[in-house]
Structures are given as structure tokens and as C-alpha cells.
Amino acid sequence: EIVLTQSPGTLSLSPGERATLSCRASQSVSSSYLAWYQQKPGQAPRLLIYGASSRATGIPGRFSGSGSGTDFTLTISRLEPEDFAVYYCQQYGSSLLTFGGGTKVEIK
Amino acid sequence: QVQLRESAPGQVKPSQTLSLTCTVSGGSISSSAYCWGWLRQPPGKGLEWIGSFCSSGSTYYNPSLKSRVTISVDTSQNQLSLKLSSVTAADTAVYYCAKDAWGYGMDVWGQGTTVTVSS
């Protein structure tokens, strides 16, 4: 089973700042089957990024994903008030899917 | 567009079987392009994948839950179902169903249903 470790656990930033979230895998993630989700309190998760770097439909350009192998990054170029939320990375292994523990982006 | 809605059993007693359904509207659950998954989130915790039914005919389960889980599809009702047996308090969570282009992310989610295991 591939374990995903997200860091930091909490990121305290101000609107307009850049957010950099890390997701590290215990083994190489095949074919960059790595996705990122945003979740706000009381809501279902929302797909942001798939294939490590492709934005999902309707996702603003300030969200970008990068990385390969075992190290992946989600970057929010300039935080908007609605971006303060919890972010999860997720990978598809061989018939098995796992999530990271999440990074909370909070207002400083 | 595709929408998902989970049923709402609310409370289940310990040792009983939790049963949920997810109704798909705006699309066919038989579409060969997708899988349909169940996930859960205990209070204050992260997301856990339970398993997925793929329209190719394959079903995948989280190994940690596999012995207690059955996921199936009723194509006539356009519904996905989840059965989780021998529940304990640790199974208390918000349960979600999701449409999954396996490998390319879960792009449609139900609103989630809260299940509490309590006597």
C-alpha cells in the first residue's frame, strides 16, 4: 500500500500570499495518478487537480499541481478568501486508492 | 450533469450491517468510462476510501475493510449500494459516494450522509 504524507499539517497565510503544499509518497506513484482535492467544512471534497498537473473542469488558474514519482506539490499562486480549506492528495495504486492526511490552509 | 445522492439511514446499532444506496441522476451508472466509489470521513478526520465498482465489471476494496464490505450496482435503478457488516463505533462517519474516472480523479460527489453507530 502506498502511504501519502502531506506537509505541513497546517499552513497559516494571508489572502494574496502563495501557498505551497507537499505530498510525498512511500513508493513511486505510477503514471502520475495523483489527484488533489479541496474540502470546506460541511461540504464534500472537490476535485482540483488530476494526473498530478491537470486542472479539473472549472478550477481557477491560480491552482497548479506539479511533481512526479514520489514528490508532488499543489501551489495556490495568490490565496483568495474562498481558498482557506483543507486539501488532500490522493493516488491510484494497483487496484487500491489512498489519501494523504490533509493540509489545512488557514487565515493568518 | 451527473448528480449523486446518498440514502440516509442515520443510526445503526453495533454488530449490525450498515446499508447505504447512492442514486445516480443525469447519467448512467453503466457507463463504461467510470467507476463508482464509496468513501467515508470520521468526525474531525481525513478521507478513507472504502471501495469502488467499475463498470468494466471489476470491484476493488480497501484491504482494511474488505472482509466486511460489499459494493454492488443496480443498473435498473441506477443505484450503487454499500453494505458494511459488524459495525462498531469506529465506523461512525460521513459516507460519500463519488464518480471516479479511475486514475483521473473523483469529479462528482454526493453531499454525504452521516452514519452513527450507537446502541
Side-chain angles (χ1 to χ4, degrees):
Chain A
E1 174 182 329
I2 296 177
V3 176
L4 298 179
T5 302
Q6 292 187 242
S7 61
T10 302
L11 199 51
S12 298
L13 294 168
S14 300
E17 290 194 292
R18 181 183 186 91
T20 303
L21 287 67
S22 173
C23 175
R24 179 161 291 179
S26 59
Q27 306 169 43
S28 183
V29 175
S30 63
S31 303
S32 293
Y33 282 172
L34 192 288
W36 290 92
Y37 299 85
Q38 175 194 69
Q39 188 178 33
K40 298 179 181 178
Q43 296 184 18
R46 172 193 181 197
L47 177 66
L48 299 176
I49 301 287
Y50 64 92
S53 60
S54 298
R55 272 190 301 277
T57 302
I59 300 304
R62 63 182 182 273
F63 291 93
S64 64
S66 63
S68 64
T70 61
D71 288 296
F72 298 88
T73 300
L74 175 69
T75 302
I76 310 170
S77 58
R78 287 178 57 86
L79 283 164
E80 297 287 342
E82 62 267 27
D83 298 337
F84 292 92
V86 179
Y87 293 83
Y88 295 96
C89 59
Q90 174 246 312
Q91 67 82 32
Y92 294 86
S94 176
S95 307
L96 176 60
L97 186 162
T98 55
F99 286 87
T103 290
K104 181 179 182 180
V105 178
E106 65 175 21
I107 299 176
K108 187 174 181 180
Chain B
Q1 71 276 19
V2 173
Q3 293 183 316
L4 307 177
R5 179 176 289 274
E6 301 92 348
S7 61
Q11 189 161 310
V12 182
K13 289 181 168 46
S15 80
Q16 290 188 340
T17 295
L18 179 163
S19 294
L20 292 176
T21 59
C22 173
T23 300
V24 179
S25 59
S28 172
I29 202 167
S30 301
S31 172
S32 60
Y34 301 112
C35 299
W36 306 87
W38 285 103
L39 304 97
R40 68 182 184 179
Q41 187 168 36
K45 296 189 177 181
L47 296 164
E48 180 180 33
W49 172 69
I50 299 170
S52 297
F53 176 91
C54 296
S55 300
S56 61
S58 300
T59 307
Y60 306 107
Y61 295 113
N62 187 326
S64 68
L65 297 169
K66 185 175 183 177
S67 63
R68 298 195 291 131
V69 174
T70 303
I71 292 174
S72 60
V73 164
D74 183 339
T75 54
S76 66
Q77 298 292 322
N78 224 27
Q79 288 180 332
L80 177 74
S81 73
L82 168 69
K83 293 189 186 300
L84 179 64
S85 64
S86 305
V87 297
T88 69
D91 295 310
T92 293
V94 176
Y95 284 75
Y96 296 100
C97 59
K99 169 176 158 281
D100 184 4
W102 189 269
Y104 298 95
M106 300 180 198
D107 62 342
V108 181
W109 293 67
Q111 83 281 4
T113 188
T114 299
V115 176
T116 302
V117 179
S118 173
S119 55

